Amino acid sequence: MSYIEKEIELIQFWKDNNIFEKSVEQRPKNNSYVFYDGPPFATGLPQHGNILSIVTKDVFPRYWTMKGHRCERRWGWDCHGLPIESVCEKTLNLKQKNEIYEMGVEEFNEFCRSKVLWYANEWKKTVDRMGKWIEFDNSYKTMDNTYMETVWYIFKKLYTEGFIYKGKKVLFYCPRCETPLSNSEISMDNSYKDITEQSITAKFELKEDPKTFLLAWTTTPWTLIGNVALAVNSKQAYVKIKVDSEYLILIKNKIDTIKEEYEIIKEFKGKELLNKEYEPLYQISTKSSKKGHLVIDGGDEVLSDEGTGIIHIALYGEFDYEMIDKYDLPLIQHIDEHGELADGPKDWIGLWFKDVDEKVLEDLHNRNLLYNSEDYIHSYPFCYRCDTPLIYNALDAWFINIQQIKPRLLKTNKNINWYPKEISKRYQKIIETAPDWCISRNRFWATAMPIWECENCKEVRVIGSVKELQENAIEEVPDGLDLHRHIVDKIHIKCPSCGKIMNRISEVFDCWLESGSMPYAAKHYPFENIEWFQHNFPSDFVSEYIAQVRAWFYYMHVISILLFDDIPFKNVVVNGNLLGEDGTKMSKSKGNYPDPNHIIEKYGADALRIYLMSSQLMRAQDLIFKEEKVKQIYRRFNLLLINVLKFYSLIDIDKVTINTAHSDNILDRWIVSLLNTLIREVTQLMNDYDTSEVCRLFFNFIEDFSTWYIKNSRNRFKSYKINEKSSAIKTLSYILKNISILLAPLTPFISEIIYQKLKKRGIVDLKSVHLEFWLEFDERLIDSEVLRQMGIVREVVKKSLELRDNAKIPVRQILNEVTLRGVNITDDYIDIIAEAINVKEVTIGNREDSELSVELDTKITPSLRMEGIARNLIRHLNNYRKQLNLSTKNRIDLYLKINDKDISEALQRHERKIKNMIQADNIIQNLETKQDIKKFKIENKVVEAYIEVKN
Ligand SMILES: [Zn+2]
Ligand SMILES: [Zn+2]
């Protein structure tokens, strides 16, 4: 069975034996480790980024479970909002919002419901295959009636306590989806793109001064139609210049942007321009009693690198709206909610706002009101779902007042442990600059906002539960009502003030309000689970990729401050972004990354798990996905362990007990010291949520274990001396058992493979390694003197092997002597050196207090050569034994045919040793009657051999 097949077999083994359920249930209820699994949007197939998140959120719950905590894990799905709506619109081929009304909100919403869990099965497969343990089938969904009811409860509580207000604000708005988007939604998924547009400088003629023009620069010509003012900086110097027969006004420090010949007529402070009126570029039909088309003071905002020091003000910008408010200017919305021109030149009415740009450009040019136009590259936001360019729009919307709780958010941020630590600062900045939270969306598929408004007296009523609705509704309301808008909109309330009908407002909630309510809504708190909640809030751990810092983490924090004045989670692990092989965002259309399933099929889940967990992703830095690296890890980690395990399987033992890790052998003591150091360090690092450092320690340990400990202990495992052999086997079993437990959270598969192998030998006795407790290190088993001396030994061996390499003498050729200087080690270690570098004699030269030096006698005498040949023979014959799958228990007779004098002589001289090393009773130099003969070469001479197994 291949390694990959073994992984797959284990998934079934865990399921058949309910290991996950047992691992949770066996831990006491009053010692919980609470974990929120941030729900993914149920709209697509799992990608590498999701896998990273799946693994991070598996490693720590496993670890804390082994530490004795009860860690319940339940999957969740984000089912609402634009992501799912836009998928459905595409499927239904709906291009505009009013097509949804034509189709019917009910039908549209039910279609969304039917599509939500479309990919759930694919997710389940990936979750299982990656070895992630979670209650998957019993998942919570943000579209559950119970979930939505908690969201109602929360909204009503916040409304009653005065944190909610309705207001007009300038928000990013998608004219295709016809809904505002929050700042965090836009900054989350690289919504900004660099685009080239025409920037223009328009001429505004002063009313009192014909032929004199104020120059104003803009990158959005379509907004000029709705211009209401021009802003200058009153303290800066401006100039009036003469160009041909016209006069132009701009800020003095931008005068070098004038390319024509000019003459300065006058220099003056911007203050002089204030309140001057100018001719609007366009006539519009929107009537306003407010006065516009005049010069105002815009303060420092006016002094940007671009432009003319004179800013054109329309409704479509944050600063603009601030000015409109401050100077009480007319509110002109000349673009309608579909993004089409609603006011301005008659011929253009109905044009898509972006198409208006070109019209304006041409028109101003024809009317000699265009001073200049040029290509301009800038970063512009697009809708993260439908890719439509966004506009700022002044909208009526519902908000949570963030400014009111900002000091509490900032203060309590100090109680959150961010991993890595530096995210805390970043998060602080996010809070400091956070605007009020727009929680209403003019959409369909989400929890309906529970606000009813009287059609007569405009009285407002907020409902906080299905029961409350039942008590107040005119119509019959069933228990457990579905709170989507197409259902709730049919329910009316009688106005308590005037007795007329109250209708629900049309808005639904921002789906982030739902995600942020997860700690309560997933448990239907406070309608259920009140006691559970008291003991299990805040949670111990959450994890997500970096973009969620300003999204899910932030929104959860806001809501928990509003509800309980407390943080919602104590520890947060923030991942970086996985990038495609070309260093850009992973994209299906670019094909810049390998299919995750293909990686898992090739290298297994554990290799991918440890690749991700060892990377800088765990320090919130981005990583370019490299298949080659997964492959390396598979070799460096999985294969090394598998080979150790194979070696272990071939050792003949009946039964080993490993109650004690004590052994007099220094190699044993050394690896036991290393292991206990490892336990100490790994525990500390896991407590600090630092998996990349944990992985580094594991890589080092496994290399030391397999390429130093096992390699230099090989002969002991075959020894006839019972004590020598049993101490080696005991130690090896002890190390394997401990490694299996230590690796369990990180690489649950290979850890279980090792454990089950040990179980067969009676060394461990639980059903699964994942039911074990975490290890305690034993200080007494860390022998610092052994570690020090072995350090020197390894240094000596490394140098000696380099010397051999330089002299081109292979290690299996025994040499006479190595002379060491500047070393202080005991005889036991000298034996290890002799064996590792294959010399007869290790001499310690007497040059005290000097630096380490190694001198290798590289002369090969005839007798050394004979020994070398004998060793070569042993090596080939042992390979032959391996191919026959023999264990050290199997005794053999060896049949040989040798046609070379030297090889024959080597055999003769070292026959006893050879027999010993290959567990042979007899060596017979005769191959007649034998079939399936093995051939190999020694010093280019052919040797033929046949092994007859005796037991
Ligand atoms: Zn959109
Ligand atoms: Zn009323």
Side-chain angles (χ1 to χ4, degrees), residues 82 174 176-177 383 385-388:
L82 276 189
C174 173
R176 200 212 66 91
C177 299
C383 177
R385 280 296 148 185
C386 72
D387 217 28
T388 301

Side-chain angles (χ1 to χ4, degrees), residues 454-459 495-502:
C454 176
E455 58 186 19
N456 177 44
C457 73
K458 299 294 165 204
E459 162 107 10
C495 177
S497 303
C498 72
K500 289 267 161 59
I501 301 258
M502 298 181 100

